[in-house]
Amino acid sequence: MYLAQSGRPTVATEEVIKAARDLLPDPGRSITSIAKLLGVSPGTLYNHIPDLRDLRAGAVPHQLEASK
């Protein structure tokens, strides 16, 4: 049975999403640079990682704790 897929196929595989989640807390990396490294657009990361901003925000307190 063939199921038609509408629209463009996603490049956001589980591996890409996991890699992005691992890199997001690093304050030295921008979302754009992470997307470029993984071969996707920044919009793809925003669309497929709903808590992206929270992951980024979590980097600041973590960095402050490390410097104490």
Side-chain angles (χ1 to χ4, degrees), residues 3-66:
L3 298 176
Q5 183 178 14
S6 63
R8 208 171 152 180
T10 184
V11 293
T13 63
E14 286 184 39
E15 293 82 16
V16 168
I17 298 302
K18 181 181 179 333
R21 285 183 169 279
D22 291 344
L23 294 169
L24 282 167
D26 181 354
R29 294 188 182 268
S30 68
I31 293 170
T32 302
S33 70
I34 292 169
K36 187 173 185 177
L37 177 71
L38 298 173
V40 299
S41 72
T44 297
L45 297 182
Y46 282 105
N47 288 334
H48 292 277
I49 305 174
D51 58 342
L52 184 138
R53 286 187 177 85
D54 295 335
L55 290 170
R56 294 300 285 182
V60 175
H62 177 69
Q63 183 182 17
L64 292 176
E65 287 176 16

